């Protein structure tokens, strides 16, 4: 655009003597040119030049992945989901493909060892062809495999997971039944940085709800899943804006603009539903 503008100005200068009235038109070009360039730059920015390339890893239905995709495809949000990786033929891959996202199934049985499996995943997350130069953030969304310490170290501070309990309570599976069995008055979900321990990394944010006397594991699961779909995009957005960072074992929150979502992530680690 800039080159075209310069050529136009040169052309006008050459023609100036032979075309009466062009001289005053030149002033218009000097004014309109910079304004057009500013508008062009802003439009370019809004359409993703600053997007943060993100991969999602799933094992199952992918409802959290879908919530992340819905969020990321809004024009004013920073994350751009470039790849969805599954450790098998997960139903969520079809949802991602329908959104036009690249998908990759890497079934664990196709690899001789966990090391080889993770090497293939890492290749996928870092190759140009699949991720436009390597992903900056990774969201585990129902990815049902423990990742090795080496893999976690490679993506330290850049890989997050959502878990359906108020961590550190109820790690692992059957979290809703565990909450009922423990007589918990509140239950909820957590987003945390991923470390090699199961559901063990530093917690970034949580949302909670009251457990009702007549709740079953299924009824709790449904309500908590609703909270997950709100919380996970919010945290991904904040990560992409650089508002959440991991310093050693400590999560640092910075407040800042997050269009359409909670703007202050500094104080409430737990938000009431
Ligand atoms: C969610 O409850 C998530 O918290 C847990 O696994 C479940 C995945 O569900 N890690 P979905 O595949 O996102 O629907």
């Amino acid at each position: 655009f800039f080159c075209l503008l310069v050529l136009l100005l040169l052309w006008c200068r050459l023609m100036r003597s032979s075309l009466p009235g062009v001289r005053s038109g030149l002033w218009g070009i000097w004014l309109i040119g910079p304004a057009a360039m500013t508008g062009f730059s802003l439009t370019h920015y809004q359409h993703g030049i600053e997007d943060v390339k993100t991969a999602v890893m799933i094992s199952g239905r992918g409802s959290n992945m879908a919530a992340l995709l819905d969020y990321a495809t809004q024009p004013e949000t920073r994350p751009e989901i470039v790849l969805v990786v599954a450790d098998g033929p997960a139903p969520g891959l079809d949802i991602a493909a329908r959104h036009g996202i690249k998908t990759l199934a890497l079934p664990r049985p196709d690899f001789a060892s966990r090391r080889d499996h993770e090497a293939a995943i890492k290749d996928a997350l870092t190759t140009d062809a699949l991720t436009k130069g390597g992903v900056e953030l990774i969201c585990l969304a129902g990815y049902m495999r423990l990742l090795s310490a080496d893999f976690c170290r490679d993506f330290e501070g850049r890989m997050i997971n959502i878990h359906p309990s108020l961590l550190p309570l109820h790690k692992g599976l059957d979290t809703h039944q565990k909450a009922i069995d423990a007589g918990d008055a509140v239950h909820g979900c957590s987003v945390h940085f991923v470390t090699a321990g199961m559901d063990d990394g530093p917690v970034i944010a949580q949302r909670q709800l009251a457990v009702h006397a007549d709740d079953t594991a299924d009824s709790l699961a449904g309500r908590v899943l609703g909270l997950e779909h709100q919380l996970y995009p919010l945290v991904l957005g904040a990560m992409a804006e650089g508002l959440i960072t991991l310093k050693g074992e400590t999560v640092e929150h910075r407040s800042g603009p997050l269009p359409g979502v909670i703007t202050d992530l500094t104080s409430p680690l737990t938000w009431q539903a």
Side-chain angles (χ1 to χ4, degrees), residues 58-66 92 140-144 161-165 172-173 175-176 189-190 199 221 224-225 228-229 232:
I58 62 170
S59 295
R61 66 190 163 182
S63 72
N64 276 289
M65 176 210 68
L140 306 188
Y143 186 73
M144 300 302 282
N161 179 46
I162 187 148
H163 181 73
S165 81
L173 299 174
T175 57
H176 310 299
C189 56
S190 311
D199 304 320
V224 170
L225 193 64
E228 293 181 37
H229 295 166
Y232 212 2

Side-chain angles (χ1 to χ4, degrees), residues 43 89 102 132 136 157 167 169 191 210 213 217 220 224 237 240 242 255 272:
T43 312
K102 287 201 179 91
K132 305 182 193 170
E136 292 152 272
L167 291 171
L169 295 175
V191 177
L220 267 184
V224 170
S255 59
Q272 294 292 334

